[in-house]
Amino acid sequence: MPTYSAPVKEMNFILNDVLNVSQYAGEMPGYDEASPDLIAAILEEGAKFCENELAPLNLSGDHEGCTRHEDGSVTTPKGFKEAYNQFAAGGWCGLTDPVEFGGQGLPHVIGMALEEMISSSNMAFGMYPGLSGGAKAAINIDGTNEQKATYLPKMVTGEWTGTMNLTESHCGTDLGLLRTKAEPNDDGSFAITGQKIFISAGEHDMAENIIHLVLARTPGGPEGVKGISLYIVPKYIVNEDGSLGDRNGVVCGSIEEKMGIHGNSTCVLNYDNATGYLLGDENQGLRTMFIMMNAARIGVGIQGLALSEVSYQNAVTYANDRLQMRSIAGPKNPDGPADPIIVHPDVRRMLLNSRSFNESARSIALWCALLVDMSHKAPDEKQREWADDMVGLMTPVLKGVFTDRGYENASNNQQVYGGHGYISEWGMEQFVRDARITQIYEGTNGIQALDLVGRKLGANGGRAIQRFFKYVATEIEDAKGNEKVADFVSAVESANADLQRAAMWLMQNAMTKPDNAGAGSTAFMHLFGHVVLGLMWMKIAKISADKLDSGTDDPTFFENKLIVGRYYINRRMPEIKFLLAELEAGAEDVMALDAANF
């Protein structure tokens, strides 16, 4: 049975040393309370819950799955409901939510750390409270005061959960094809009729009410995405006094039979004249839904990291225990019948590919969470604008690169087990199956790459990407202060130059031939990912070298940072040259073959 140990020490290092979140006390709401001691205490308690309550349910939840009953109700796997009750009672649902609605108002960056722990320990479970976060954000930003008062307090406590309903059987990415209808009622509400598929946590037994946010089309509205509105459709109608009333006209028609995340009820939801309430402006539903989608995309990126981390931890344990063959450099375990497989270079390659990604990716994820806070809470408008530009660039990178790498790493960590990795009792094949969906939902990774190249790169005259290049250059100059990390500086400097070259090539060659952007977008996204991962390794390396120079009571921790970081810049970042060549090859070869000849 697989195990999980939350990387609390790593998280504290990033929050306190790499990001220095304490510097924002007095500048941004919530950061005054977020002292290093409080952060450490929260992370420790979160780790205990994830390790002791959620992780033991992961394998059994996968085997049992969810059960739909004849009345459309759904029962979650054994232990999930009790664990959720503990989760809600512990205040974890409202950790970062506004105080005025019953939340604790702590920084988003702390919530992101908890989100990784939850997804590593039990990704399927984490999707029940996880999707509520985006729904709460959408209601808080675009809801009326009455809607906020009606729904947010119960969602903050976890008594109610939330979902997002976009996809229909005939339309996924192309939401302009959406058919679900919203007919106006005399009382100002709407009658919602249609069917939605792939709805995560769409029906379950863990909360009293489920607040669905549903995209639908009002008759007579504009064609395409311009005619889509967003509606709040509760499972149970909420009475004026806040009590629950009649069951609404929404029912789970079936649970999708999926490759992974079996512990989460992914539902087909049928809406039959269900009562819905307009959220935000009419015909502006996609704009409001993107509040949820952007939050969800970052969350899915964290799932990629989380599965890379937990699969790595278990593969390391196995590699140290499993005795097979002798080291090609000579016996390392002369008293035993064979050496542990961790002595073999190729096993180490697979493990270090994961670890060198995990430690830098975690820094990026927490930095992005800090940027989200800054984009909403920073006192200076220019600072908020800069942070928002960075979040816009980083969102498709987190979603696309983190999940591609997460799946790759989970698969390689399964490979460390050999044949045992293919057997379900070891848990490794579940990590691979669970990781696969992260590359697909909340916008496939191909869509993330197109979003980065087609929308984010040229937005506001290329303002965001130019600001990113300037930020990298500033960090490079800062890192030059310690000659012991000169190799990191050189690697990032070269990578940043290649990224600028790639961006320029796209700007020059995609306007007249848009297929050049489509053909090169995934290469560009991964090239960008290498730059950001290398940038964070450079920052970590400088901090580690400075700590070692000034004296530390934990030299091994910082020495290992330098070792793992050098592995990344020496063995992974050279992939940038291949990606650049792929991008600059253009679209001609990609588009040459006639569709009939595939």
Side-chain angles (χ1 to χ4, degrees):
M1 181 175 176
T3 60
Y4 172 65
S5 178
V8 173
K9 185 175 182 178
E10 289 285 331
M11 291 173 174
N12 278 315
F13 166 68
I14 295 167
L15 293 170
N16 296 321
D17 294 292
V18 179
L19 300 179
N20 186 21
V21 296
S22 296
Q23 68 181 300
Y24 300 103
E27 291 186 15
M28 294 195 293
Y31 280 80
D32 285 350
E33 293 79 19
S35 66
D37 287 344
L38 180 65
I39 291 174
I42 291 172
L43 295 181
E44 287 289 349
E45 288 304 310
K48 289 177 185 176
F49 182 81
C50 291
E51 293 167 359
N52 299 328
E53 305 299 332
L54 297 187
L57 297 174
N58 193 41
L59 192 63
S60 61
D62 178 69
H63 289 171
E64 181 182 346
C66 297
T67 303
R68 178 190 176 275
H69 306 285
E70 288 188 8
D71 62 356
S73 63
V74 171
T75 302
T76 51
K78 183 179 179 180
F80 271 46
K81 183 175 182 179
E82 292 77 12
Y84 182 79
N85 289 339
Q86 292 182 51
F87 185 80
W92 297 110
C93 293
L95 187 69
T96 62
D97 288 325
V99 174
E100 58 263 39
F101 300 115
Q104 299 176 51
L106 289 169
H108 183 59
V109 71
I110 300 176
M112 187 69 80
L114 177 67
E115 201 168 327
E116 183 198 330
M117 294 184 200
I118 295 170
S119 293
S120 281
S121 58
N122 196 322
M123 177 173 152
F125 175 93
M127 294 169 67
Y128 290 101
L131 285 165
S132 297
K136 287 183 286 187
I139 294 172
N140 190 33
I141 292 173
D142 273 359
T144 65
N145 289 334
E146 181 181 0
Q147 287 172 339
K148 294 177 187 179
T150 299
Y151 300 106
L152 289 182
K154 295 280 190 174
M155 295 178 77
V156 166
T157 61
E159 294 171 77
W160 300 350
T161 59
T163 72
M164 53 192 297
N165 284 230
L166 292 78
T167 308
E168 300 179 7
S169 59
H170 56 282
C171 77
T173 299
D174 190 356
L175 291 170
L177 300 176
L178 183 146
R179 294 175 187 160
T180 299
K181 293 181 180 180
E183 298 276 359
N185 293 324
D186 293 338
D187 62 358
S189 66
F190 291 79
I192 311 297
T193 300
Q195 185 183 79
K196 298 291 184 178
I197 65 172
F198 304 159
I199 307 306
S200 300
E203 173 63 27
H204 57 82
D205 58 350
M206 300 201 298
E208 295 176 351
N209 204 4
I210 303 174
I211 311 304
H212 303 292
L213 297 195
V214 183
L215 283 180
R217 190 180 300 281
T218 306
E223 294 295 319
V225 296
K226 293 181 179 179
I228 296 174
S229 301
L230 186 62
Y231 300 89
I232 300 173
V233 186
K235 175 181 174 180
Y236 289 97
I237 300 296
V238 182
N239 297 322
E240 290 186 8
D241 63 359
S243 63
L244 297 184
D246 294 337
R247 176 68 189 263
N248 209 349
V250 52
V251 65
C252 172
S254 64
I255 298 176
E256 305 283 9
E257 293 291 336
K258 310 185 297 292
M259 176 179 175
I261 52 171
H262 295 151
N264 192 267
S265 57
T266 307
C267 299
V268 174
L269 291 183
N270 297 320
Y271 291 85
D272 184 9
N273 287 319
T275 300
Y277 310 93
L278 182 67
L279 177 60
D281 296 327
E282 191 168 355
N283 298 326
Q284 296 295 315
L286 203 56
R287 182 191 64 80
T288 305
M289 182 60 84
F290 261 106
I291 297 171
M292 287 191 74
M293 288 179 68
N294 286 332
R297 284 172 174 174
I298 293 174
V300 172
I302 299 306
Q303 290 178 340
L305 164 61
L307 291 173
S308 178
E309 172 66 31
V310 67
S311 63
Y312 164 77
Q313 288 186 15
N314 284 276
V316 167
T317 299
Y318 186 85
N320 277 292
D321 291 343
R322 178 70 166 173
L323 302 180
Q324 289 286 282
M325 303 167 54
R326 289 296 185 186
S327 166
I328 57 177
K332 300 296 188 293
N333 179 35
D335 296 330
D339 290 330
I341 62 173
I342 200 165
V343 307
H344 303 307
D346 195 60
V347 172
R348 286 171 165 258
R349 174 189 63 83
M350 291 186 284
L351 294 174
L352 281 167
N353 280 349
S354 293
R355 178 167 175 173
S356 65
F357 167 77
N358 296 345
E359 294 184 13
S360 182
R362 183 172 296 112
S363 299
I364 296 169
L366 294 176
W367 176 54
C368 285
L370 175 62
L371 290 173
V372 170
D373 279 338
M374 291 173 63
S375 69
H376 295 295
K377 301 176 181 179
D380 180 69
E381 183 179 350
K382 282 290 184 184
Q383 192 179 19
R384 292 196 298 273
E385 181 186 86
W386 180 87
D388 192 58
D389 280 351
M390 293 300 102
V391 172
L393 279 178
M394 288 299 111
T395 297
V397 174
L398 255 74
K399 200 288 181 182
V401 175
F402 280 29
T403 60
D404 278 351
R405 286 290 191 86
Y407 179 73
E408 173 192 330
N409 291 341
S411 181
N412 281 333
N413 292 326
Q414 179 191 31
Q415 185 78 9
V416 171
Y417 279 67
H420 291 296
Y422 205 63
I423 306 301
S424 65
E425 68 183 82
W426 290 90
M428 300 304 287
E429 58 87 31
Q430 181 191 350
F431 297 141
V432 176
R433 288 187 288 104
D434 286 354
R436 190 62 184 89
I437 186 56
T438 65
Q439 298 170 290
I440 298 172
Y441 61 11
E442 305 307 340
T444 65
N445 287 358
I447 292 297
Q448 303 308 311
L450 283 174
D451 177 49
L452 177 62
V453 169
R455 295 179 64 240
K456 304 297 174 58
L457 201 58
N460 300 305
R463 184 181 71 198
I465 192 66
Q466 292 302 323
R467 283 176 163 174
F468 176 77
F469 291 145
K470 184 177 180 180
Y471 173 71
V472 176
T474 301
E475 292 294 329
I476 287 171
E477 287 303 311
D478 180 61
K480 286 180 178 178
N482 192 320
E483 283 298 318
K484 293 180 179 178
V485 296
D487 50 344
F488 287 86
V489 173
S490 176
V492 175
E493 206 161 23
S494 174
N496 196 41
D498 285 337
L499 182 62
Q500 292 181 57
R501 175 175 160 179
M504 183 61 66
W505 189 93
L506 286 169
M507 290 176 183
Q508 292 172 345
N509 292 277
M511 292 292 289
T512 55
K513 293 184 177 180
D515 280 340
N516 281 329
S521 58
T522 294
F524 183 82
M525 179 179 72
H526 279 279
L527 199 164
F528 202 135
H530 275 304
V531 173
V532 185
L533 287 158
L535 170 68
M536 282 299 172
W537 267 124
M538 182 184 71
K539 289 169 66 72
I540 292 168
K542 182 181 184 300
I543 292 167
S544 299
D546 288 344
K547 292 277 190 181
L548 290 168
D549 286 344
S550 61
T552 172
D553 58 2
D554 193 1
T556 301
F557 179 83
F558 296 106
E559 288 166 356
N560 288 343
K561 290 293 179 194
L562 294 171
I563 293 170
V564 177
R566 283 197 167 92
Y567 177 92
Y568 191 85
I569 66 168
N570 290 332
R571 297 186 64 93
R572 298 312 304 259
M573 286 184 71
E575 294 171 9
I576 286 175
K577 298 299 183 185
F578 162 77
L579 293 166
L580 182 61
E582 181 185 352
L583 182 147
E584 291 181 340
E588 185 175 348
D589 293 339
V590 176
M591 305 306 293
L593 190 64
D594 189 85
N597 293 325
F598 269 82

